[in-house]
Amino acid sequence: MTRQNYFTRTLTIIAGFLFLILISKNGMTADMTEFTSYDVAKIKTVGGAYISPDGKNIAYTLSVQRNPFEEENGKAWTELHVVSADGESHPYVFGEVDVSDVAWTPDGKAISFVDKRGDDEERSLYSIPLDGGEARKIFEHETDITSYSWSPDGKKVAFLAKKDKSEEEENLEEQGFNQEIYEEDWRPVQVWIYDTEAEVADPRLIDLSGSASELHWGPKGERLALALAPTSLIDDHYMFRRIRIVDVESGEVTTKIDNPGKLGDVRWSPDGKSLAFVSGVDINDPSAGRIMVADVQSGEFENLLPGFEGHVDHVEWTDKNTIAYIASESVWTTFNTISKDGENQKKLIKKEGPILNGFSLSKDGKVAAFDAESPKHPDEVFRYEFGRNLERLTDSNPWLKNKKLAEQEVVTWEARDGLELQGVLIKPLDYDENKRYPLILAVHGGPESHDSNEWLTSYSDPGQVGAAQGFAVFYPNYRGSTGRGVEFLKSSQNNPAGKEFDDLVDAVDHFVEIGLADKDRVGITGGSYGGYASAWGATYYSDRFAASVMFVGISDKISKTGTSDIPQELYLVHDSTWPWEDWMHFLKSSPIHYVEQAKTPILIMHGEDDTRVNPGQSMELYRFLKVRNQAPVRLVFYKDEGHGNRKAASKLDYSLRLMRWMNYYLKGDGGDPPEYPVAYQEDMLD
C-alpha cells in the first residue's frame, strides 16, 4: 500500500467514525435543524381513520394548517385522503375544504362526508366514489348537518341538524331584533330521516323531546340508537345525555338506557340485541371511561370492567359476542378484546408502542384502522390485522426526519403523601447529565385528562420547541388525571388546588433532587385547568416558579362558577359544593386570594369569546397584579377565539409569546416584560 493510499484510507476511516458519532447522538445527522414554533405551524395531522367494509382501504382526514402570511387567516383545512393496505395514499377531497363525519357507504363503493362546498349555505352531505371521480351532493338541509348514519341497505340516511329559525324570527333579526335571551332561546338538535331513492326528497322529522347526539342506525334497519339531552346547552350535553332506542317508522322511544354518568361511544352489536357504550360509573365520575353492555329490549346494563385501573377510550364490536376497545393505562395505550359477559379478556396490542387515539373495524371484525402517534410523530394512519403486527401506512410530515428531536421518557415520582405518580419528560436537546437545566412544567387541563408518551408538541405546549431552546419540559399526570382508574380520577374532587397542585411542586423537587433541574429556573404553563395551575404557581406557589404562562385559566373560583357555561359539571364532578354553601372554600382555592405574595412574572393569554372559562378570569388576575405592581404581568386577548385558539395566526403568535416569556425570565436577565410586539419571520413558513 502506498503512503498516499494509506493516508486516504485513514482519512476515510476517521471521517466515517466522525459521521457515526454524529448520527449516533439522538439519531441526528450534521445537516439536521432544530424544531421551532414555525415547524409547529406547519405540522399536518391525521384526524381519524375509517376502514372500508372489506378492510382493503382506509379513508382518513388530514388537518392542514394555513399560512397566515399568504392565506386568509382561519382554522386548519381538513382534507379527505385514502390509503390502501400497501401504504399507497391518494388525496380525494383536498385544498380549501373542511371535511368532517367521514363514513363508508354500506356497499363500500364510496365515501360519504359533510362539507360546505360551492354555493352551499349550510354543511351538506356528499359522497365520492372509491374508484375516482368528483364528489356529488347527496342532499342539503335548512341547517348544518352535524352527524349522520346510513341504514344497512344504504337507501336511507338518519341525520342530526339543529332546528331552523322561523321566517318571522329571521325577518325580525334582519330588522335588528337580534338580542340573545341567554340559555332560553336554545334550539334543539333534531333527528331526521332522508330517503335517497324517494322522488320527493323531503326529509322526515322524528319528533323527540330534548336535543339529540350520538346517532347510530341499528344493524337490522328498524331502530336508531341515539343520545338525548334535556337541552342543547353544553352543560346538559356533558352531564345529562342518556341513550334512547327509537323505532324508525313510528318515531317512538322503545327503550330507555339510563347510562349513569357522562357518555362516550355507543355501538350496536352485529345481531342488534345489545349496545356497548362508554360511560362514567356514576353522575360524579369526571369522565366516561368504563365499558357498559346493555340489553336493547330491557335497557338493563352491566359494567364489564368495574375494577379496571385504566380508562376506556373507544369501543367497537368484532362479532356479536366480542368487543374491542382502546384503553389508556397511565402514559400508554393498549388494544384489547373482551366478551360481552365480561369474560375472556385479551390484550392484543400491549403498552410501550404508538399511542392509539381512535379506531374502526372492517365488517368481519378482523382488520382495524387506527390513528396513532408516538414521541417522533403526530397522528398517522396505522393498520392492524388481528394476530399480526401493527403497521404504519402514512407519513404526513416527511420533513420531520430532518429535524433534531430531543429524547423523551416516562418519569415516576413520589408525592409528599407517598402516592406514586407518572409523567412524560422531554429532555433538553443535546442533554448533558452533568448540567442542570431550566425546567418548564406543562400542565394538562381537565383535570380529567392525561398526557401519554406521545407527540407532545403543539402551539400551546412547549415540547420539542422548548427542548431545542435548552429547556427540560415535563408533562405531569397529577392526581385527578385519567388513565389510572375511577378512584384515582376522583381523588382530587372537592379539593381544588390542594394535593393535585402539590403534586406539581413535588415533581419539581424530584427533578432538582436527581440533578436535572435548576430550582431557581422553573416555569409553569398550561391551558384551562392547566391555566389554573399556572395562576396557582404564580401566586400561592410563587416562591417555586420563576415564570408562568397562563392560558384560558381560572383565577377566581367564585366568579368562575357564576360565569361558566358548565355549572352543573363543575358542581357534580369537581367541587361537590356550591359557592354559597362555603364561600371561604372557594376563595381559598382561588389564585387571586394570594396576589399579595405574588412575585412570579406571568403572561396571561385568553380568547375573547371563551364561554367555558370567561375572559374575566384573566382580567381579574391581571388587574389585581397590575394595581399591586409587585410582579411583571402582561395580558393578551385573542379576538374571535374561544376556549383555545383555532386560527393559524393566533396559534403561531401564542407559541412565539410563550417561548419568548420563558426564555426571558428563565434564561435571561428578567426585569420588566419584553416589548409587546412579536417579530414574525414570514419566510419560516415557506
Side-chain angles (χ1 to χ4, degrees):
M1 180 182 295
T2 66
R3 178 174 296 184
Q4 183 177 3
N5 286 342
Y6 176 81
F7 182 69
T8 301
R9 184 185 177 200
T10 301
L11 286 179
T12 301
I13 292 172
I14 293 172
F17 180 69
L18 291 173
F19 178 76
L20 288 173
I21 292 175
L22 283 172
I23 64 173
S24 66
K25 190 157 186 167
N26 296 326
M28 301 171 190
T29 57
D31 60 347
M32 297 177 77
T33 58
E34 296 176 352
F35 206 82
T36 72
S37 295
Y38 294 93
D39 293 319
V40 176
K42 294 187 292 187
I43 287 283
K44 297 178 182 179
T45 308
V46 169
Y50 312 93
I51 198 163
S52 59
D54 62 9
K56 295 180 180 179
N57 293 283
I58 300 169
Y60 66 96
T61 57
L62 186 67
S63 176
V64 181
Q65 300 187 78
R66 304 191 198 196
N67 183 335
F69 303 114
E70 296 180 359
E71 301 175 75
E72 181 181 357
N73 186 35
K75 69 174 187 175
W77 303 114
T78 304
E79 301 181 339
L80 173 63
H81 294 240
V82 177
V83 61
S84 60
D86 60 7
E88 187 174 345
S89 183
H90 297 283
Y92 271 54
V93 181
F94 57 96
E96 296 182 359
V97 296
D98 187 19
V99 169
S100 66
D101 293 279
V102 173
W104 289 85
T105 54
D107 60 10
K109 295 180 179 179
I111 305 156
S112 57
F113 60 93
V114 173
D115 195 5
K116 188 176 181 180
R117 300 163 61 83
D119 296 329
D120 289 346
E121 293 185 2
E122 309 293 344
R123 293 181 64 77
S124 304
L125 185 64
Y126 286 83
S127 72
I128 187 168
L130 175 62
D131 58 7
E134 291 294 322
R136 69 174 185 89
K137 184 188 294 187
I138 299 175
F139 69 92
E140 60 185 346
H141 191 61
E142 54 200 12
T143 59
D144 284 346
I145 296 170
T146 59
S147 183
Y148 67 93
S149 179
W150 287 98
S151 63
D153 60 9
K155 296 180 180 180
K156 294 183 175 65
V157 180
F159 69 96
L160 302 179
K162 184 168 284 190
K163 183 180 180 181
D164 195 14
K165 294 178 181 178
S166 67
E167 185 175 345
E168 180 183 8
E169 288 174 318
E170 290 182 346
N171 290 337
L172 286 170
E173 283 192 3
E174 290 177 1
Q175 294 168 353
F177 297 97
N178 57 358
Q179 61 281 344
E180 177 186 3
I181 313 302
Y182 190 65
E183 293 187 348
E184 290 187 51
D185 57 359
W186 59 273
R187 289 180 290 146
V189 176
Q190 299 176 311
V191 181
W192 300 80
I193 304 294
Y194 179 83
D195 189 338
T196 62
E197 297 184 344
E199 294 183 8
V200 180
D202 288 332
R204 173 171 61 90
L205 173 66
I206 295 182
D207 194 12
L208 299 168
S209 176
S211 190
S213 60
E214 198 65 35
L215 177 69
H216 302 279
W217 206 305
K220 295 185 178 180
E222 301 170 351
R223 293 175 290 184
L224 299 171
L226 51 88
L228 283 177
T231 74
S232 59
L233 300 177
I234 189 66
D235 212 11
D236 282 345
H237 182 84
Y238 274 6
M239 299 307 304
F240 304 119
R241 293 191 303 148
R242 299 296 177 261
I243 301 170
R244 299 292 181 257
I245 307 298
V246 177
D247 181 81
V248 173
E249 289 304 315
S250 69
E252 296 296 320
V253 174
T254 61
T255 309
K256 294 181 178 181
I257 302 172
D258 289 321
N259 45 290
K262 289 184 175 180
L263 180 64
D265 285 352
V266 177
R267 298 291 186 267
W268 284 96
S269 63
D271 61 7
K273 295 181 179 180
S274 304
L275 276 184
F277 60 95
V278 181
S279 173
V281 298
D282 54 42
I283 195 63
N284 304 119
D285 192 341
S287 184
R290 285 292 177 272
I291 303 177
M292 311 284 185
V293 172
D295 178 84
V296 169
Q297 296 299 325
S298 68
E300 296 180 357
F301 57 87
E302 179 185 0
N303 182 354
L304 299 192
L305 296 169
F308 178 49
E309 292 188 359
H311 187 272
V312 175
D313 297 309
H314 301 283
V315 296
E316 297 283 355
W317 293 82
T318 63
D319 57 48
K320 65 180 182 179
N321 294 312
T322 310
I323 301 163
Y325 64 96
I326 293 174
S328 293
E329 299 185 45
S330 188
V331 298
W332 307 103
T333 56
T334 59
F335 184 56
N336 316 268
T337 57
I338 187 171
S339 299
K340 71 175 185 179
D341 59 4
E343 302 295 328
N344 302 317
Q345 296 181 45
K346 295 180 181 178
K347 198 176 293 291
L348 303 180
I349 300 177
K350 300 181 180 180
K351 300 178 182 178
E352 302 187 12
I355 300 302
L356 311 173
N357 292 317
F359 78 108
S360 58
L361 290 178
S362 58
K363 190 172 183 179
D364 62 9
K366 295 180 179 179
V367 187
F370 295 91
D371 53 289
E373 59 188 307
S374 81
K376 300 297 184 183
H377 64 80
D379 268 2
E380 296 287 359
V381 177
F382 285 72
R383 186 175 185 270
Y384 175 74
E385 290 190 37
F386 282 54
R388 298 190 178 185
N389 292 327
L390 186 66
E391 181 184 9
R392 178 178 169 180
L393 296 184
T394 61
D395 185 5
S396 305
N397 302 283
W399 53 270
L400 280 176
K401 295 182 179 66
N402 298 319
K403 289 293 175 180
K404 298 178 183 178
L405 297 180
E407 183 182 349
Q408 183 168 310
E409 65 180 36
V410 177
V411 172
T412 301
W413 82 100
E414 188 175 287
R416 63 192 66 180
D417 62 358
L419 181 65
E420 188 176 276
L421 300 162
Q422 280 193 319
V424 182
L425 172 70
I426 301 179
K427 293 182 177 179
L429 196 62
D430 301 322
Y431 171 68
D432 182 348
E433 64 181 14
N434 296 313
K435 291 176 57 178
R436 288 186 181 269
Y437 291 90
L439 171 69
I440 300 174
L441 248 61
V443 186
H444 68 70
E448 61 273 21
S449 177
H450 74 277
D451 288 310
S452 297
N453 190 28
E454 59 197 334
W455 180 261
L456 289 169
T457 307
S458 71
Y459 79 93
S460 60
D461 281 326
Q464 292 290 343
V465 177
Q469 296 180 24
F471 295 93
V473 184
F474 185 59
Y475 295 80
N477 289 325
Y478 50 100
R479 70 190 72 200
S481 301
T482 53
R484 290 186 56 178
V486 176
E487 183 179 352
F488 185 86
L489 184 56
K490 289 185 174 184
S491 63
S492 66
Q493 287 180 328
N494 199 28
N495 187 26
K499 291 183 179 181
E500 58 184 1
F501 291 168
D502 291 344
D503 292 343
L504 307 179
V505 172
D506 294 341
V508 173
D509 288 341
H510 169 78
F511 288 115
V512 173
E513 183 179 341
I514 66 173
L516 182 144
D518 181 342
K519 67 180 179 61
D520 296 322
R521 295 189 294 161
V522 179
I524 185 170
T525 189
S528 194
Y529 213 84
Y532 179 25
S534 303
W536 196 252
T539 54
Y540 181 89
Y541 268 130
S542 187
D543 61 321
R544 303 303 306 271
F545 295 97
S548 175
V549 177
M550 167 188 175
F551 187 35
V552 294
I554 302 161
S555 69
D556 182 346
K557 287 283 290 180
I558 296 173
S559 60
K560 166 66 162 61
T561 306
T563 56
S564 178
D565 58 1
I566 52 169
Q568 291 293 336
E569 203 247 8
L570 292 174
Y571 171 73
L572 291 167
V573 307
H574 291 290
D575 299 320
S576 305
T577 187
W578 294 105
W580 50 87
E581 295 173 339
D582 192 346
W583 292 107
M584 289 307 299
H585 171 75
F586 279 77
L587 182 58
K588 288 182 178 179
S589 59
S590 299
I592 59 166
H593 188 55
Y594 305 95
V595 291
E596 292 180 80
Q597 61 198 57
K599 57 185 179 182
T600 303
I602 183 169
L603 172 61
I604 305 170
M605 296 190 274
H606 213 125
E608 281 191 341
D609 298 335
D610 191 353
T611 58
R612 195 65 27 80
V613 177
N614 189 280
Q617 292 292 305
S618 288
M619 177 62 81
E620 279 191 59
L621 183 59
Y622 168 80
R623 184 60 69 209
F624 286 11
L625 292 172
K626 191 72 173 179
V627 169
R628 291 192 62 83
N629 195 29
Q630 64 193 42
V633 60
R634 171 167 292 154
L635 174 60
V636 178
F637 280 130
Y638 288 102
K639 297 181 183 298
D640 302 317
E641 297 285 11
H643 196 57
N645 293 350
R646 301 174 69 209
K647 296 183 177 181
S650 299
K651 287 184 173 183
L652 178 58
D653 180 87
Y654 183 97
S655 181
L656 293 170
R657 290 185 187 277
L658 163 65
M659 292 313 306
R660 183 175 68 168
W661 196 265
M662 291 300 182
N663 273 286
Y664 192 83
Y665 286 108
L666 299 185
K667 293 166 64 178
D669 295 330
D672 292 335
E675 294 296 319
Y676 73 81
V678 172
Y680 307 110
Q681 297 174 266
E682 298 184 23
D683 60 335
M684 294 288 285
L685 288 181
D686 292 341

